[in-house]
Amino acid sequence: MSTLSTGDYIVFIVYFLIVSCYGYWVYKRKKDAETTSTDYFLAAGSLTWWAIGASLIASNISAEQMVGMNSSGFTMGLAISGYEWMAALTLVLVAVFFIPVYLKNKIYTMPQFLNQRYNGTVALTMAIFWLLLYIVVNLTSILYLGAIAIHGISGINFQTCIWGLAIFAVIITLGGMKVIGYTDVIQVFFLILGGLVTTYIAVTQVADHFGTPGFLKGLSLMKEHAAGHFQMIFKRDNANYSDLPGLSVLIGGLWITNLNYWGCNQYITQRALGADLKTARSGLLFAAFLKLLMPVIVVLPGIAAFILYKENIFHSQMLENGTLNADKAYPSLLNLLPHWFKGLSFAALTAAIVASLAGKANSIATIFTLDIYRKINKKAVDHKLLVVGRITVVAAMIIGIVISPFLGIDKKGGFQFIQEYTGFFSPGIFAMFLLGFFWKKTTSNAALFATVGGFVMSVVFKLMPLFTNLEPLKNYGFSTLVLQKDGVTKLYEIPFLDRMAIVFVICVIGMYIISMIENASGKRVNSLEVDTKMFKTTTGFAVGALIITGILAALYTVFW
């Protein structure tokens, strides 16, 4: 039943008051020290390692994970956890190789890196693109999916949900990165606690249904009744191979997705850019450990929902116009929770959505204010920049609310919506950053080729099945997903992750050729300060990284 009891509302109100009051206390406590725009946008030098790590996870986990990944868990099982577990190892690599370069060269925004490494044209082009992507795709989808989830659980009017989420997020965001960072610690607490409660009850529901109570027994029964949902690497004959194409999740496009997201993404990296190297690395390592836990919250309940659905429990709640809608798996599970616990899980979901909205809005404000407005109005003082940043936050939220119903997010599914549209740019952006970091001969024209050319190639590969028959590609390991047209099934699509890997390789080769030609003609190239000593880690960090690697190896061995 999609309603909340009085007890549920009490739990949620307590959560709201705790976060709001703590955020206000942090804001007042830090207000006297907040004198610069850098402090507002980045919380320079004031976030601890645990605040950085918690903020990273709180900003990453939102409606598209809580709802979308549980939907994928319902459909394809544990394999979707590859996004989460690969992220743990990616965070370690970003901490070792990316963060030192940013901090050593005093880089605070991604457009600033592009301007410093390449030129103003590349930086401005990407700043505008990131703004459009963050507002039109990310912020909008989080708002829309979040409102759908909250509406489905509570029965509150959809428009009230979307405006409520936006206002709550704005209140937190206007306090700056310090308030976001420290309130995210509470958000993560509610997120993990509520998520674990939901998982526990979902698994025990499976056990109770089969007459053998107990959480561990429930896990055993889940593996027994959904054996196909507990494998990480799909074979080519698997119905979900086109989404997770076999070994490509370990050696292909999933690396590009994760490295671009965690290492070249303003929304994520700015949480660590205001700290010293040791603190930033510790925060990223803490986030990596939390990432190992995330599938328990964002995937396992979906698998439990799959089994319960097969057993005709909440069968009607999973249907939309008579058709199964896997996106309803997580909200349906929450509606099974007893009073008070449902309020806790409701607060956890709200925490995830609000934290992501706040982080995204702060990134939008940072890029617009520091990389666009400050270039237009070079004489703007810090106070003016702070005002512009706060106005940008409010404006971005309003735009997101207005345009969200017209983008077809509900038809594509939130997780797929974000992946599809960011995936057209990720290979080119990552190639541009990677070579910009570690190959001093990379030129600005090569970077422009990667960004523009990478996007064009992604579109071409996506549309290629419409004008040519790709059936022969199935002999080389590509997806056998058939695109039907007029009853004829002859068109084959390149899997999304494989397409990203192909475009990335072409971008790197193209950048190399263009750079070598321009180097030969004597073209001047900007470079960053990079030396091998920057990548040396502490013993504690190295031990933590080895533990994460060992856990991942064990997980993939057990669930291969």
Side-chain angles (χ1 to χ4, degrees):
M1 185 177 180
S2 299
T3 57
L4 295 175
S5 68
T6 301
D8 294 326
Y9 279 113
I10 290 174
V11 172
F12 178 76
I13 291 171
V14 169
Y15 149 74
F16 178 86
L17 290 175
I18 289 174
V19 173
S20 299
C21 292
Y22 182 62
Y24 182 74
W25 179 77
V26 171
Y27 173 74
K28 293 293 290 183
R29 185 166 177 255
K30 302 291 184 179
K31 188 175 181 180
D32 294 337
E34 184 183 286
T35 57
T36 69
S37 55
T38 301
D39 186 75
Y40 172 78
F41 292 114
L42 298 169
S46 65
L47 291 184
T48 60
W49 63 268
W50 45 268
I52 291 172
S55 187
L56 281 166
I57 298 303
S59 298
N60 168 242
I61 301 298
S62 188
E64 71 269 24
Q65 273 83 18
M66 300 288 279
V67 176
M69 290 197 78
N70 270 302
S71 170
S72 297
F74 181 98
T75 304
M76 65 183 72
L78 195 64
I80 196 65
S81 300
Y83 278 93
E84 299 298 302
W85 287 338
M86 186 70 74
L89 191 55
T90 300
L91 281 163
V92 173
L93 295 177
V94 169
V96 174
F97 297 107
F98 286 42
I99 292 299
V101 178
Y102 289 136
L103 296 182
K104 183 70 173 180
N105 292 274
K106 294 181 171 57
I107 292 169
Y108 300 120
T109 70
M110 299 303 98
Q112 179 198 345
F113 160 76
L114 298 176
N115 183 66
Q116 195 167 319
R117 177 58 180 85
Y118 296 115
N119 59 31
T121 301
V122 176
L124 184 60
T125 300
M126 289 306 302
I128 294 172
F129 154 67
W130 271 314
L131 276 181
L132 292 174
L133 183 66
Y134 286 171
I135 295 174
V136 177
V137 177
N138 299 106
L139 184 75
T140 304
S141 62
I142 294 170
L143 265 174
Y144 192 79
L145 285 171
I148 287 178
I150 301 267
H151 167 70
I153 296 166
S154 65
I156 299 172
N157 177 269
F158 175 80
Q159 286 298 324
T160 302
C161 291
I162 199 169
W163 278 99
L165 288 171
I167 291 170
F168 194 0
V170 166
I171 290 172
I172 294 175
T173 310
L174 293 182
M177 195 63 223
K178 288 174 184 172
V179 175
I180 294 172
Y182 282 106
T183 55
D184 276 351
V185 176
I186 300 178
Q187 309 274 45
V188 164
F189 172 78
F190 275 94
L191 188 158
I192 293 178
L193 179 60
L196 289 175
V197 168
T198 304
T199 301
Y200 176 82
I201 292 179
V203 174
T204 52
Q205 282 273 351
V206 173
D208 291 341
H209 175 75
F210 289 102
T212 53
F215 180 79
L216 294 179
K217 187 62 180 178
L219 289 175
S220 176
L221 286 166
M222 285 173 61
K223 196 168 183 180
E224 177 184 337
H225 289 272
H229 276 54
F230 284 89
Q231 59 184 50
M232 292 298 298
I233 305 299
F234 290 153
K235 296 180 180 179
R236 204 179 304 173
D237 59 356
N238 191 291
N240 299 297
Y241 184 83
S242 61
D243 294 310
L244 295 170
L247 288 175
S248 289
V249 300
L250 291 179
I251 59 176
L254 195 56
W255 278 108
I256 298 168
T257 299
N258 273 289
L259 286 167
N260 177 69
Y261 179 84
W262 294 102
C264 314
N265 183 352
Q266 178 70 33
Y267 170 55
I268 293 298
T269 54
Q270 77 181 73
R271 275 146 185 75
L273 297 184
D276 60 82
L277 181 58
K278 182 179 179 181
T279 302
R281 278 179 166 168
S282 298
L284 290 169
L285 189 65
F286 178 47
F289 275 105
L290 292 178
K291 265 295 176 187
L292 295 175
L293 177 66
M294 284 301 108
V296 176
I297 296 173
V298 301
V299 178
L300 203 58
I303 302 176
F306 170 75
I307 296 171
L308 294 173
Y309 173 79
K310 287 200 308 178
E311 296 296 317
N312 291 318
I313 299 177
F314 63 72
H315 189 276
S316 60
Q317 295 184 44
M318 292 292 298
L319 300 178
E320 185 173 347
N321 299 323
T323 304
L324 174 65
N325 183 356
D327 283 338
K328 292 191 173 185
Y330 195 71
S332 297
L333 280 174
L334 294 187
N335 285 323
L336 292 177
L337 299 180
H339 296 314
W340 296 89
F341 284 108
K342 186 177 178 181
L344 180 63
S345 295
F346 178 58
L349 181 59
T350 305
I353 297 165
V354 168
S356 288
L357 285 174
K360 189 65 69 179
N362 185 268
S363 296
I364 291 167
T366 302
I367 291 176
F368 178 80
T369 306
L370 300 184
D371 296 299
I372 296 179
Y373 179 79
R374 191 163 62 177
K375 288 184 178 179
I376 298 172
N377 186 1
K378 297 181 179 179
K379 295 182 180 180
V381 296
D382 273 328
H383 176 71
K384 180 67 173 179
L385 295 177
L386 294 176
V387 172
V388 170
R390 285 169 174 144
I391 292 174
T392 303
V393 168
V394 176
M397 285 291 183
I398 293 174
I399 292 172
I401 292 172
V402 171
I403 68 174
S404 62
F406 305 103
L407 298 179
I409 299 172
D410 54 331
K411 296 180 179 62
K412 291 179 179 293
F415 194 73
Q416 292 83 352
F417 179 84
I418 292 175
Q419 295 301 319
E420 177 177 352
Y421 287 100
T422 56
F424 285 109
F425 293 91
S426 298
I429 294 174
F430 181 56
M432 175 178 59
F433 271 74
L434 189 65
L435 269 67
F437 278 149
F438 305 116
W439 192 43
K440 293 184 177 181
K441 295 182 179 181
T442 311
T443 64
S444 56
N445 285 330
L448 282 174
F449 163 78
T451 54
V452 178
F455 171 75
V456 172
M457 284 184 284
S458 295
V459 173
V460 169
F461 281 123
K462 172 65 176 177
L463 300 179
M464 192 177 289
L466 299 179
F467 53 82
T468 185
N469 185 12
L470 300 181
E471 184 173 358
L473 289 178
K474 70 178 183 179
N475 298 322
Y476 298 94
F478 290 104
S479 172
T480 55
L481 176 66
V482 178
L483 303 179
Q484 295 190 6
K485 185 177 181 181
D486 299 326
V488 179
T489 56
K490 65 175 184 178
L491 303 176
Y492 286 74
E493 183 178 15
I494 300 174
F496 168 74
L497 292 176
D498 287 342
R499 189 168 72 237
M500 288 182 64
I502 294 169
V503 172
F504 172 74
V505 171
I506 295 174
C507 285
V508 170
I509 293 173
M511 290 182 71
Y512 174 80
I513 294 172
I514 293 171
S515 297
M516 292 303 293
I517 292 173
E518 293 191 313
N519 290 158
S521 64
K523 182 177 177 63
R524 181 179 175 274
V525 178
N526 298 325
S527 62
L528 300 173
E529 186 176 346
V530 179
D531 62 73
T532 55
K533 294 180 181 178
M534 296 165 53
F535 308 125
K536 185 178 180 181
T537 66
T538 63
T539 301
F541 181 92
V543 170
L546 285 174
I547 292 173
I548 288 172
T549 304
I551 292 173
L552 287 173
L555 287 170
Y556 272 92
T557 299
V558 172
F559 297 111
W560 186 271

